[in-house]
Amino acid sequence: MSDEKLEKLVMYEIIHENNNVIGLDDRIITFIEEFLEIGEVTTSFINDNIQSLNENLKYYRIDSNSKFLRNIKRSLKKISSTTSREVMKLHKNIDDTYKNQDNYLIKLQELDKYKAKRDDIINLIRESEQIIFEAQGFFNTIIDAELNSIVLDLRYILVRNRDYLNEIQSQIIDFINRIQYQAAIYKKIQRLKELKDYEELKYKTNFIEVVSGTNTLMFRRRAFLKSRLSLDFLYSDQGHLLTRKVAGRLDILRNSGRKPAGKMVDGFDESIHEESTSLNIEGLVDKFMECDTDLFEFILNYKFPKKVGELTIEKRISLYVGISIDYDNKLLISGKLGKMDYVNEKKQKLKLGYAIIKPNSKRSHE
Amino acid sequence: MNNIPKQTPEIFGILSRGNFISSNGSKGKLYDIISHQENFQVLKELFGHTGYVLEHGHNYYYFSHTEEPNQSIEKKLEQFAYYIDVMDFFSSMDQKPSVGTRYRITQIAEQCFSNERLKQKIVALSRREKMVDKVSEIANDLAQSGFFEQEDEDTYKVMDAIHYLEQVITLITINEDGE
């Protein structure tokens, strides 16, 4: 804020300056406190209204002018609102003092002060109730619907606040006791420390029993709950970003200009799946058992179903080897060799020797 | 189960680490939520299934657990012995560690310089070199357990949970045997 503006505010008495400390004007602070129902508890408002109620009642008895009746109503309403407000403030301040006042002697004195204030408010409530009680007959003679409802309302509010104050009373006493009791605790701590320094804690106190009897979590070694990353999360877009970030930090991606591969063809995994199931080796062996040829010829000439496609000679050979190993108990290896010529992919002529294997019909019938 | 407050994971996170939730700290909001209407009962039942018992002290909440591994008893004794030292240190100062007390590290350090008794105590408590570091080490220890809370770099405030330590201390009886 510019100096000019500040000066203006000072001129209008909205703020004042003192030793470089700028503060709001007292009247504004009072207004804000009243508006927010905060600040110091005071009984004078209630008191003033009781006085004015008394006066106006007196005047109205002398001269039943509606002006005085209006004032009576006003005072009654104000008693009810100010009482409620002060009780609320009292409660807030007590709580705040207990929890936040940092000096323990001041705290004790403040609480004592609020205890006295509480007694004052209770007395004022009694006084108000007394006045209303005495004036009830008089109010009855005045025919005014609004007055009746105001009186009823006030009575109800006074009773409620009195209950509230009784609660506050026990709270203050509790707080004060706690604080005084703390003083005793400080002494005890120092005594315990003394015993501890003399190594007498174990012998002169029941320290071990008490402390081992406490089952607060505090004393356990802090084991943090560990959880695993959710796989579903890693598959998500956010998970991808996160893994990239971590990989970047770990410098894993430094040499890779590689991009992720393009999208896989739909159903790429199905085709692999199909081939492996359609080559039914078990069935092939069963068929072979019923033939009279040798295994090599059988496989070389076997017509596989169309969906398997054309098998190359190399594949057929590896199938032959595979079967001869896996099913050797069903097979009869004669020890003779067969020979054949074939041309491989590079157009080289090759000679191939193979063992002649026949079905072992004896064993398979066992 | 009806209406578990949405802050439950946060509450569980704090309490399950052995920390406290005090009404006068920055977690006061959570304290209010636990205290709100039937939440305490609801949460107590919910956390009961995890083996932790939600406990209520004067203006603070904490977890206790029922089954007790034996080897931890020794550790507990050690730790509480440490708290006696620390509490003794703070109780020896002009400003007592009661709920709401604010301690400034630099101020405590200054007091330690001028008060020989305090100085001896703090030297026994911390091996840090500088006085300020010694004090902040201890204050941090207490803050980590939830008895203090750091408000800014220099200031620590005493939480409601300090009542817990007081409670344990009250339970200990000293047998003076005619001294």
Side-chain angles (χ1 to χ4, degrees):
Chain A
M1 206 184 282
S2 69
D3 284 350
E4 198 185 321
K5 280 183 186 164
L6 272 180
E7 256 166 49
K8 223 172 197 175
L9 287 175
V10 173
M11 211 170 70
Y12 288 133
E13 296 188 345
I14 289 172
I15 58 172
H16 60 82
E17 199 186 335
N18 186 16
N19 281 341
N20 278 334
V21 178
I22 296 171
L24 278 172
D25 189 81
D26 269 350
R27 284 165 293 178
I28 293 174
I29 290 180
T30 316
F31 167 75
I32 292 173
E33 281 184 350
E34 209 158 297
F35 188 75
L36 295 175
E37 302 195 345
I38 51 171
E40 215 25 87
V41 180
T42 155
T43 50
S44 56
F45 290 126
I46 310 175
N47 209 4
D48 287 352
N49 286 310
I50 290 176
Q51 298 312 326
S52 108
L53 176 65
N54 266 334
E55 281 163 18
N56 283 303
L57 277 172
K58 208 159 49 183
Y59 301 154
Y60 191 75
R61 281 194 175 108
I62 299 166
D63 172 11
S64 43
N65 187 328
S66 65
K67 183 176 79 185
F68 298 128
L69 182 60
R70 245 194 340 265
N71 283 342
I72 289 172
K73 284 195 221 167
R74 197 156 166 243
S75 304
L76 287 170
K77 269 196 217 161
K78 277 201 140 183
I79 290 174
S80 114
S81 68
T82 45
T83 310
S84 298
R85 194 181 66 205
E86 294 308 315
V87 170
M88 284 304 292
K89 279 206 276 189
L90 184 69
H91 192 207
K92 268 188 224 165
N93 287 1
I94 290 169
D95 209 51
D96 191 50
T97 306
Y98 179 71
K99 285 181 186 165
N100 297 313
Q101 172 55 251
D102 50 11
N103 188 304
Y104 121 96
L105 279 176
I106 296 179
K107 188 189 269 193
L108 211 53
Q109 282 177 17
E110 287 242 300
L111 287 177
D112 262 334
K113 180 187 82 186
Y114 287 128
K115 200 167 152 226
K117 289 232 162 144
R118 177 257 167 206
D119 293 343
D120 290 346
I121 299 180
I122 278 263
N123 285 335
L124 288 173
I125 288 178
R126 290 224 180 88
E127 200 179 324
S128 316
E129 281 177 333
Q130 185 66 26
I131 295 169
I132 297 169
F133 178 73
E134 280 168 5
Q136 191 60 55
F138 175 63
F139 286 148
N140 286 345
T141 64
I142 305 167
I143 299 167
D144 187 318
E146 200 198 0
L147 179 70
N148 271 330
S149 81
I150 289 173
V151 171
L152 267 177
D153 212 32
L154 177 59
R155 280 189 158 181
Y156 170 69
I157 280 173
L158 289 179
V159 169
R160 214 183 48 189
N161 276 318
R162 212 172 41 185
D163 290 347
Y164 200 9
L165 282 171
N166 284 335
E167 233 172 82
I168 288 176
Q169 172 80 341
S170 62
Q171 201 181 10
I172 300 179
I173 291 172
D174 182 45
F175 283 167
I176 290 177
N177 284 343
R178 260 171 207 285
I179 294 165
Q180 276 168 347
Y181 162 79
Q182 265 171 348
I185 285 188
Y186 303 139
K187 278 197 198 118
K188 187 164 176 184
I189 292 170
Q190 289 175 1
R191 177 81 186 118
L192 285 175
K193 165 76 175 159
E194 232 171 80
L195 289 174
K196 180 173 170 274
D197 288 348
Y198 292 125
E199 300 284 336
E200 286 183 324
L201 210 50
K202 275 186 224 164
Y203 312 108
K204 287 203 173 165
T205 71
N206 59 351
F207 174 77
I208 293 178
E209 282 124 77
V210 169
V211 175
S212 31
T214 56
N215 50 6
T216 316
L217 215 54
M218 180 188 108
F219 291 113
R220 226 202 236 176
R221 200 182 314 136
R222 294 184 210 301
F224 290 92
L225 290 176
K226 275 186 198 153
S227 62
R228 301 284 176 210
L229 275 170
S230 152
L231 283 177
D232 287 341
F233 168 73
L234 287 178
Y235 279 129
S236 70
D237 288 352
Q238 281 168 311
H240 177 69
L241 284 178
L242 188 79
T243 43
R244 279 201 74 86
K245 207 170 131 191
V246 174
R249 200 178 311 140
L250 295 177
D251 221 15
I252 286 173
L253 300 175
R254 65 179 179 279
N255 288 331
S256 79
R258 273 186 291 175
K259 296 259 157 37
K263 203 178 173 194
M264 292 278 212
V265 183
D266 267 345
F268 71 96
D269 47 349
E270 281 164 28
S271 63
I272 297 169
H273 192 61
E274 213 169 22
E275 191 178 1
S276 60
T277 53
S278 61
L279 259 184
N280 182 353
I281 293 171
E282 184 85 41
L284 193 69
V285 173
D286 284 347
K287 271 187 189 150
F288 169 68
M289 298 304 283
E290 288 160 18
C291 301
D292 199 27
T293 50
D294 73 287
L295 183 64
F296 190 76
E297 298 239 338
F298 176 79
I299 289 174
L300 210 61
N301 299 323
Y302 188 80
K303 294 239 177 325
F304 287 99
K306 263 191 189 158
K307 43 182 181 172
V308 178
E310 198 53 44
L311 264 78
T312 60
I313 192 157
E314 281 86 1
K315 271 196 182 167
R316 285 177 194 247
I317 291 170
S318 68
L319 199 59
Y320 160 81
V321 174
I323 290 174
S324 64
I325 293 168
D326 291 344
Y327 295 89
D328 68 328
N329 60 343
K330 286 183 174 180
L331 304 172
L332 188 73
I333 300 169
S334 61
K336 290 178 201 159
L337 288 175
K339 276 186 183 160
M340 73 166 285
D341 298 316
Y342 89 105
V343 182
N344 72 359
E345 286 168 346
K346 292 174 188 164
K347 305 246 161 98
Q348 290 164 314
K349 280 188 182 175
L350 292 171
K351 263 194 177 172
L352 193 72
Y354 57 91
I356 292 176
I357 298 172
K358 298 252 169 152
N360 188 351
S361 44
K362 273 185 205 165
R363 285 211 186 170
S364 66
H365 288 300
E366 274 171 8
Chain B
M1 209 173 286
N2 49 346
N3 294 336
I4 297 165
K6 68 172 193 285
Q7 294 82 352
T8 305
E10 202 183 342
I11 292 169
F12 184 80
I14 294 169
L15 296 179
S16 65
R17 260 176 273 152
N19 255 319
F20 294 84
I21 291 180
S22 297
S23 74
N24 66 341
S26 58
K27 298 283 183 291
K29 188 106 205 349
L30 294 181
Y31 177 86
D32 294 339
I33 285 161
I34 301 175
S35 320
H36 185 67
Q37 288 173 2
E38 285 151 20
N39 280 352
F40 178 71
Q41 280 312 321
V42 171
L43 288 173
K44 195 179 168 99
E45 202 193 318
L46 174 69
F47 293 145
H49 297 298
T50 64
Y52 296 128
V53 186
L54 179 63
E55 309 262 8
H56 189 196
H58 187 254
N59 287 341
Y60 63 91
Y61 291 106
Y62 62 99
F63 268 174
S64 67
H65 55 111
T66 33
E67 86 268 22
E68 174 82 63
N70 250 351
Q71 88 265 27
S72 74
I73 289 181
E74 201 173 327
K75 204 162 163 29
K76 264 171 26 173
L77 291 172
E78 232 170 70
Q79 205 171 358
F80 202 82
Y82 171 72
Y83 283 124
I84 288 183
D85 289 350
V86 174
M87 287 297 279
D88 167 63
F89 171 73
F90 283 103
S91 307
S92 310
M93 289 198 300
D94 301 339
Q95 243 186 357
K96 305 293 178 198
S98 71
V99 172
T101 301
R102 282 190 178 77
Y103 286 117
R104 290 185 47 219
I105 301 293
T106 42
Q107 223 170 23
I108 298 178
E110 260 167 50
Q111 248 190 72
C112 289
F113 277 123
S114 56
N115 183 331
E116 191 54 35
R117 218 170 106 236
L118 281 178
K119 197 172 177 178
Q120 278 176 9
K121 285 181 199 290
I122 190 106
V123 167
L125 274 170
S126 167
R127 285 190 195 149
R128 297 288 188 87
E129 207 152 298
K130 278 197 217 151
M131 189 61 85
V132 183
D133 292 343
K134 284 180 199 290
V135 178
S136 60
E137 189 185 3
I138 297 166
N140 265 328
D141 261 0
L142 287 172
Q144 242 164 36
S145 321
F147 300 119
F148 279 17
E149 191 171 284
Q150 193 166 10
E151 288 197 315
D152 59 47
E153 213 168 297
D154 196 33
T155 320
Y156 285 80
K157 181 176 171 184
V158 180
M159 296 288 101
D160 287 300
I162 201 84
H163 286 313
Y164 178 80
L165 285 183
E166 292 170 2
Q167 206 60 42
V168 179
I169 286 165
T170 316
L171 286 171
I172 300 172
T173 46
I174 300 174
N175 182 7
E176 295 286 2
D177 56 23
E179 267 182 48

